[in-house]
Amino acid sequence: MVYGAQSGHIGGSMSSTEILAVLYGRIMRHDPKRPGWVERDRFIMSKGHCTPVQYATLAESGYFPVDELSTFRKKGTRLQGHSVLGKPEGVENSAGALGMGLSFGLGIRLGMRLSNIDAHVYVLMGDGEQDEGQVWEAAMAASHHRVDRLVAIIDRNGIQNDDFTAATMRTEPLDEKYRAFGWEVRAGIDGHNLEAVEEALAWARDVRGKPALVIFDTVKGKGVSFMENNPNFHGAAPSAEQFARAMEELA
Amino acid sequence: MTTTNLPAAATREALGPTLVRLQQNGANIVVVDADLGKSTSARTFRDAFPERFFTFGVAEQNMISAAGGLATLGHTVIASTFAVFAEHAFDQLRMSVAQPKLNVKVVASHGGVSTGEDGASAQSVEDYALFSSLVNFTVCVPADVVEAEAMVAAAVATPGPWYIRTGRPKIPVIYTDGPRFQVGKADMLREGTDVTIVACGLLVERSLRAAEALEASGISARVLNMGTIRPLDVAALEAAAKDTGAIVVAEEHLTHSGLGAMCAQAIAATTQPVPMEFVGVQSRYGESATWDEVLEIMGLTADGVEAAARKVVARKR
């Protein structure tokens, strides 16, 4: 997709791949045939630049034809570079500017509570995204309003746009900060181990009385040697040669 | 319509009681608030429907994105704060409300410079520009408390994002016989043939007084209450240009980016552009004084409107 479009955010998509696969395959209550089903669990992509993994997961889950993935970022596509609510069905929020997804998910969960809907809201954020002050406003408010069935997920791949997160803005220790904000937290989970991902997300799904957070340790660009942990593959597309090598490594 | 002995009320007083009435009549309203519910009158709704009222503390960005999320469940969400603090969440309004076209109504009080003593930081002179720049938003400014009630009711009855700016001071009630508000339609409060005064908010009553003074010296002024800033009633503006040949726009906002600028763009696109004058805040921020004094300093008075009308009529000849 990213190679075809010659633009897009591949690194943060590859670090989130297992997380989305487990959410849509094992954890979430959803039905691709009924994307408007009001009782469905919602997935909120707060790091809205990681549409490659979001669209691929939705297509593989049956929300739209896999063939359509080749239109990503191209003229006339429904698959814009960053998430747009309802395009295609299954995309639950508009994102791209960082830091808003947890607030949006909090609002959804409050609305569900008022409507007596017991579904869950899963919000995926990046670790670089934790720089945004709005994230902490939402963390505070979720706890204040005693919201549960709200599951925040941090894909802690350690890299943001310009550099490593530790060099850009020190946000650690994230686990202790969220605990201080009143959240149930599990951290240090291997985000590329399918069993570990499923175990942690199932735990978070069952937390009651508080919002829950899982922090996954991941590798940006996971699976392709020259992309792994390389800040140059945050928002850049691979060349023809790099694409061929990557496909060989992933085969 | 005459302007003598009118009762007075603040447009901000309309919000809470109107929402309570609508909810009692079967609406599905949720109010989100950022620690200003006493001043905006939103607390009246909290007292009646506490489970439908969420405070977000002094955190407008979180409040606006959460309002968008709430609206996806089919709730009609009213986001209440002061106009200057609604501006604080501009990108959230863009990403979490305007682009996904969600059913969130921002009803912001203490708009304009008539907040008075609190000074420049509390005086919104750019909110019409900001909210009109958000595609999918309907933007309204009530001329009195009766119209404010009608606008809140219309917003709740109409899906999609809205911005309604209300004010702090008690101002004269114009619509003593009941509201005439229709979204997207100017209300002609006074017929006239020499010049049209287009106004919104508290400048409407001041424009009516200006029209009375003009009449005494033989100038016949039409007064249009442009309660909806976006979408603008272009047909009423075209008719004003054709019938009266000159237009004054009066508003409690920066002239270069508010109602005046939007009217000028519409008039320039007609087959018969006419001379225009603009009464508003002239490329500056406010200052501390009583609300009436700040309006005086800015020239947002009946005298100011009258002078602009005389000037534009002179330009016709």
Side-chain angles (χ1 to χ4, degrees):
Chain A
M1 293 167 71
V2 175
Y3 174 64
Q6 273 303 298
S7 66
H9 297 79
I10 196 162
S13 288
M14 293 169 83
S15 62
S16 295
T17 303
E18 288 85 354
I19 298 167
L20 264 80
V22 170
L23 276 173
Y24 279 84
R26 295 291 182 88
I27 297 290
M28 279 168 50
R29 180 171 78 189
H30 70 116
D31 181 357
K33 302 280 178 296
R34 291 186 293 160
W37 180 33
V38 72
E39 306 274 334
R40 72 191 184 280
D41 289 343
R42 269 70 161 181
F43 172 74
I44 299 301
M45 179 59 106
S46 191
K47 47 175 203 159
H49 53 288
C50 294
T51 43
V53 67
Q54 183 179 23
Y55 297 149
T57 306
L58 287 171
E60 293 289 348
S61 302
Y63 282 88
F64 63 93
V66 171
D67 288 352
E68 195 178 333
L69 291 173
S70 64
T71 68
F72 177 56
R73 284 177 172 252
K74 292 178 181 160
K75 187 180 177 185
T77 189
R78 296 192 295 171
L79 310 180
Q80 291 197 32
H82 293 75
S83 314
V84 178
L85 190 151
K87 290 188 181 178
E89 286 181 313
V91 177
E92 303 276 12
N93 65 308
S94 291
L98 292 169
M100 300 186 198
L102 191 57
S103 304
F104 199 80
L106 165 63
I108 293 176
R109 196 43 221 141
L110 288 171
M112 286 178 171
R113 209 162 72 175
L114 267 182
S115 302
N116 295 311
I117 295 168
D118 70 355
H120 285 71
V121 180
Y122 298 90
V123 180
L124 179 64
M125 297 181 283
D127 54 347
E129 186 176 5
Q130 304 305 306
D131 298 354
E132 291 278 6
Q134 187 182 353
V135 169
W136 301 98
E137 294 182 2
M140 211 177 336
S143 174
H144 174 82
H145 288 294
R146 297 190 171 79
V147 172
D148 58 10
R149 296 187 170 89
L150 174 66
V151 175
I153 302 162
I154 297 178
D155 173 358
R156 186 170 170 272
N157 62 32
I159 297 175
Q160 54 198 97
N161 190 66
D162 276 6
D163 204 339
F164 293 95
T165 52
T168 308
M169 181 55 61
R170 286 190 304 278
T171 53
E172 297 291 346
L174 287 170
D175 53 348
E176 287 176 31
K177 287 178 181 170
Y178 274 90
R179 279 193 194 100
F181 275 68
W183 287 59
E184 287 288 327
V185 180
R186 281 209 183 167
I189 317 285
D190 178 355
H192 300 299
N193 177 325
L194 290 169
E195 281 175 18
V197 171
E198 182 172 353
E199 196 276 331
L201 290 175
W203 165 82
R205 180 187 59 200
D206 296 336
V207 169
R208 291 293 178 272
K210 285 182 173 187
L213 166 71
V214 181
I215 304 176
F216 288 112
D217 289 332
T218 63
V219 176
K220 200 153 182 165
K222 174 71 178 177
V224 177
S225 58
F226 59 88
M227 292 184 184
E228 286 192 359
N229 275 321
N230 182 351
N232 292 329
F233 280 97
H234 171 85
S239 66
E241 187 199 340
Q242 287 171 329
F243 178 65
R245 268 177 65 200
M247 292 310 280
E248 220 167 89
E249 288 187 24
L250 289 166
Chain B
M1 184 164 287
T2 60
T3 56
T4 46
N5 300 320
L6 295 173
T11 51
R12 65 177 158 132
E13 294 167 24
L15 179 65
T18 304
L19 293 178
V20 169
R21 178 171 56 78
L22 295 169
Q23 185 64 26
Q24 283 167 344
N25 291 336
N28 181 15
I29 292 166
V30 176
V31 175
V32 298
D33 161 75
D35 195 30
L36 287 167
K38 278 191 275 190
S39 304
T40 64
S41 80
R43 287 262 288 237
T44 310
F45 185 85
R46 186 196 73 168
D47 294 343
F49 300 99
E51 75 288 353
R52 309 191 69 86
F53 182 97
F54 296 105
T55 176
F56 284 84
V58 193
E60 295 80 10
Q61 300 180 343
N62 183 41
M63 175 180 80
I64 292 297
S65 291
L70 267 157
T72 65
L73 269 293
H75 304 293
T76 302
V77 186
I78 310 294
S80 165
T81 182
F82 288 0
V84 284
F85 303 132
E87 295 177 6
H88 187 58
F90 185 72
D91 195 18
Q92 286 72 16
L93 289 158
R94 176 176 171 271
M95 290 296 308
S96 303
V97 179
Q99 287 196 359
K101 225 174 169 172
L102 291 169
N103 196 21
V104 174
K105 323 297 181 185
V106 180
V107 184
S109 73
H110 293 60
V113 295
S114 56
T115 50
E117 292 85 343
D118 282 335
S121 81
Q123 296 169 354
S124 67
V125 293
E126 58 286 278
D127 54 330
Y128 301 170
L130 288 170
F131 281 89
S132 295
S133 74
L134 293 166
V135 179
N136 300 324
F137 258 81
T138 297
V139 179
C140 292
V141 186
D144 71 4
V145 70
V146 175
E147 190 169 59
E149 289 168 7
M151 282 176 180
V152 171
V156 169
T158 314
W162 280 53
Y163 177 69
I164 300 174
R165 182 225 263 192
T166 62
R168 174 174 175 263
K170 289 190 186 300
I171 58 171
V173 177
I174 298 168
Y175 292 103
T176 47
D177 296 331
R180 305 205 302 225
F181 174 69
Q182 282 181 281
V183 63
K185 295 282 177 215
D187 181 23
M188 195 192 298
L189 289 168
R190 187 184 174 100
E191 181 54 286
T193 53
D194 298 325
V195 59
T196 298
I197 304 168
V198 178
C200 66
L202 57 72
L203 265 306
V204 173
E205 184 268 340
R206 290 168 182 234
S207 296
L208 285 168
R209 277 194 272 137
E212 287 169 10
L214 289 164
E215 187 182 33
S217 58
I219 296 174
S220 165
R222 177 181 296 186
V223 177
L224 292 180
N225 171 15
M226 197 62 82
T228 313
I229 287 184
R230 188 178 163 82
L232 208 50
D233 187 348
V234 176
L237 288 170
E238 279 184 324
K242 187 165 161 282
D243 298 345
T244 69
I247 293 175
V248 172
V249 184
E251 62 187 318
E252 198 183 349
H253 189 278
L254 288 166
T255 53
H256 69 258
S257 57
L259 177 63
M262 290 181 250
C263 288
Q265 185 186 28
I267 290 293
T270 66
T271 52
Q272 211 178 347
V274 296
M276 297 181 72
E277 290 290 333
F278 305 94
V279 176
V281 180
Q282 306 286 340
S283 198
R284 58 160 294 181
Y285 290 114
E287 59 190 272
S288 283
T290 68
W291 68 273
D292 221 18
E293 288 165 347
V294 178
L295 291 172
E296 184 84 40
I297 291 164
M298 300 285 182
L300 307 184
T301 57
D303 287 349
V305 175
E306 185 190 338
R310 290 187 191 283
K311 196 169 162 193
V312 82
V313 167
R315 284 173 58 199
K316 284 165 78 175
R317 289 157 193 153

